[in-house]
Amino acid sequence: MTEIIAVRFRSGGKEYYFDPKDLKVKTGDEVIIETAKGPEFGVCCRGNSMVEDDQVVPPLRPLLRLATDADRAALQKNREREKEALQVCEEKIAEHKLEMDLVRCECSFDGNKLLFFFTSEGRVDFRALVRDLAATLHARIELRQIGVRDESKLIGGLGICGRPYCCNAFLEQFQPVSIKMAKTQGLSLNPAKISGACGRLMCCLKYEQDAYEDAVKRLPKNESFVETPDGAGTVCEVDFLRERVKVRLEEAPETPQGYAADELNIIRNGKGRRPEDYVAPPRSELEKLRRSTPKLIPAEKQDLSGDIDAVMGRSEAKPPRQGERRRGGDKQPGRKQADHSAQQQGGPSRRRHHRGGGKGKSGGAKSGE
């Protein structure tokens, strides 16, 4: 076992292992690392941990120190220098009339080297440009041509899903993606819907491909002849995610029925003629294919009316609706005595006031006189 720390030099970049040199480093700490290009500024993405020896390529380069305020100030100065160098390089490209699109500029931590990334449709002779930039910026110059997928990884942005690009957020390496994956997953083959901002097929097509390939092996194909709990029929639609199949039954071909994949008995998988010697089994045998899923009501959802009334402070007896009589007689014994006393005192009864729209009978007023 070997003790290592994992460091990233930019967001979404690859993890690199380094020797911590008996220093305790936590995830998120900023560190200065010795690399083949000299000292570099990075962020620890995994603290001190042990890994198998076969996962490490010896010799491990050492951790120099934890980043200080002076290191952070030097990093900020390099970022400002990158912006200036990017503007100068764009001007020099226009002067030399080169067909190349500048993407990004990176400055080494010690400030001795400037690395420019660009895209181009073909090969570009930029030797004169390198000499001109070296004389202007007084640093070692390196130009590197990249592809459109690398351009999206460096620049970043939001995809059609509303989330940051996978390549810029967490993907360390690009996975091969083919149009066959879109066909297997039943997606639209419209390039505008299955292509990313880089113009290539979206990387996320690879994520669920293994699950779809496994479902394709287990589920019947379209036009397969199958037995269902309701009879024999032909498959007309397959939903790989839900693992459900629509079948056009022989008895009612105009109304396809949906079934779970484990409710089917495949007689012929794929297109072809119906087996000539096929004899449909009795309906009682087919019914055994039906999957029984009893609906269980949780105990806490069986009767919540009492708990709701208790929380809201309501009484158990609900008032009758307007125009309805209370069943089983008046359950509030003081209601009739209150109405009767109100009539004797000359006031309209509460029941008559409710039904009469706010107007009492004239007889109540005369009795008060």
Side-chain angles (χ1 to χ4, degrees):
M1 302 290 286
T2 305
E3 185 180 12
I4 57 93
I5 60 171
V7 178
R8 278 196 178 103
F9 296 103
R10 59 170 176 263
S11 176
K14 186 179 179 180
E15 292 183 0
Y16 295 93
Y17 291 162
F18 294 92
D19 185 0
K21 290 295 183 181
D22 299 329
L23 293 176
K24 295 298 181 181
V25 184
K26 299 179 296 183
T27 301
D29 288 348
E30 297 172 335
V31 293
I32 305 299
I33 298 295
E34 179 66 33
T35 67
K37 302 177 183 178
E40 290 292 341
F41 187 97
V43 178
C44 178
C45 55
R46 191 199 308 178
N48 297 65
S49 57
M50 306 297 292
V51 297
E52 298 291 340
D53 294 335
D54 56 359
Q55 299 182 14
V56 178
V57 180
L60 283 178
R61 295 188 176 271
L63 165 68
L64 296 181
R65 62 183 182 274
L66 296 177
T68 62
D69 293 338
D71 296 328
R72 298 184 184 91
L75 180 66
Q76 183 62 30
K77 183 178 179 181
N78 290 338
R79 295 293 178 264
E80 296 175 356
R81 188 182 181 189
E82 289 173 358
K83 296 179 181 179
E84 297 175 358
L86 194 66
Q87 184 177 359
V88 171
C89 186
E90 289 178 348
E91 296 175 356
K92 296 298 181 181
I93 290 175
E95 291 179 6
H96 289 270
K97 299 180 180 180
L98 297 176
E99 296 182 357
M100 52 191 296
D101 296 326
L102 201 59
V103 176
R104 183 172 176 172
C105 174
E106 291 184 358
C107 180
S108 62
F109 184 71
D110 55 11
N112 294 330
K113 180 180 178 181
L114 290 171
L115 174 60
F116 295 93
F117 297 93
F118 71 94
T119 60
S120 178
E121 295 182 359
R123 296 179 61 87
V124 180
D125 185 4
F126 48 74
R127 290 174 292 181
L129 175 63
V130 171
R131 291 192 295 267
D132 198 356
L133 289 174
T136 304
L137 300 175
H138 306 285
R140 293 173 54 200
I141 304 298
E142 180 179 348
L143 271 73
R144 186 175 300 173
Q145 186 173 358
I146 60 176
V148 289
R149 300 181 77 183
D150 299 291
E151 180 182 6
S152 298
K153 183 178 180 65
L154 290 176
I155 296 177
L158 297 178
I160 59 175
C161 59
R163 298 178 60 85
Y165 295 160
C166 298
C167 56
N168 180 261
F170 59 87
L171 282 183
E172 297 182 359
Q173 299 179 5
F174 290 108
Q175 299 293 331
V177 185
S178 65
I179 194 66
K180 181 181 178 181
M181 297 180 181
K183 294 180 180 178
T184 303
Q185 299 175 24
L187 300 177
S188 171
L189 300 183
N190 185 356
K193 295 184 178 181
I194 58 176
S195 299
C198 60
R200 301 293 189 266
L201 293 175
M202 293 187 294
C203 298
C204 55
L205 294 178
K206 178 68 176 179
Y207 299 164
E208 300 176 355
Q209 180 63 18
D210 294 339
Y212 275 98
E213 290 179 354
D214 178 68
V216 167
K217 295 178 182 178
R218 294 184 290 104
L219 271 62
K221 301 178 181 178
N222 276 330
E223 303 299 328
S224 298
F225 186 73
V226 296
E227 291 177 347
T228 72
D230 299 321
T234 304
V235 175
C236 59
E237 184 179 342
V238 182
D239 189 342
F240 293 107
L241 284 181
R242 298 180 178 86
E243 294 195 1
R244 293 190 61 84
V245 179
K246 282 190 176 181
V247 180
R248 188 177 291 107
L249 300 176
E250 293 182 340
E251 298 178 358
E254 63 279 356
T255 56
Q257 302 294 326
Y259 302 93
D262 54 1
E263 292 181 321
L264 303 180
N265 185 18
I266 303 175
I267 305 300
R268 187 205 68 235
N269 195 6
K271 294 183 179 180
R273 296 181 179 180
R274 172 179 172 172
E276 298 179 358
D277 56 347
Y278 172 76
V279 178
R283 183 59 62 89
S284 59
E285 293 293 331
L286 295 177
E287 283 293 337
K288 296 180 181 179
L289 297 173
R290 193 179 303 278
R291 184 174 60 183
S292 60
T293 54
K295 296 182 179 180
L296 300 178
I297 303 176
E300 61 274 9
K301 293 185 178 181
Q302 289 180 0
D303 187 9
L304 298 178
S305 58
D307 297 337
I308 295 175
D309 290 339
V311 173
M312 301 299 294
R314 301 171 182 170
S315 61
E316 295 183 359
K318 298 181 180 179
R321 297 180 182 178
Q322 185 175 356
E324 293 183 356
R325 292 186 177 181
R326 186 182 299 273
R327 294 182 179 179
D330 196 345
K331 294 184 180 180
Q332 298 181 2
R335 183 73 174 268
K336 291 183 178 180
Q337 288 81 350
D339 295 342
H340 183 66
S341 60
Q343 292 179 7
Q344 290 180 351
Q345 295 176 3
S349 66
R350 293 173 62 185
R351 190 182 299 273
R352 288 177 178 174
H353 178 78
H354 177 70
R355 293 182 178 179
K359 295 182 180 180
K361 290 188 176 180
S362 58
K366 291 180 180 180
S367 63
E369 296 174 356

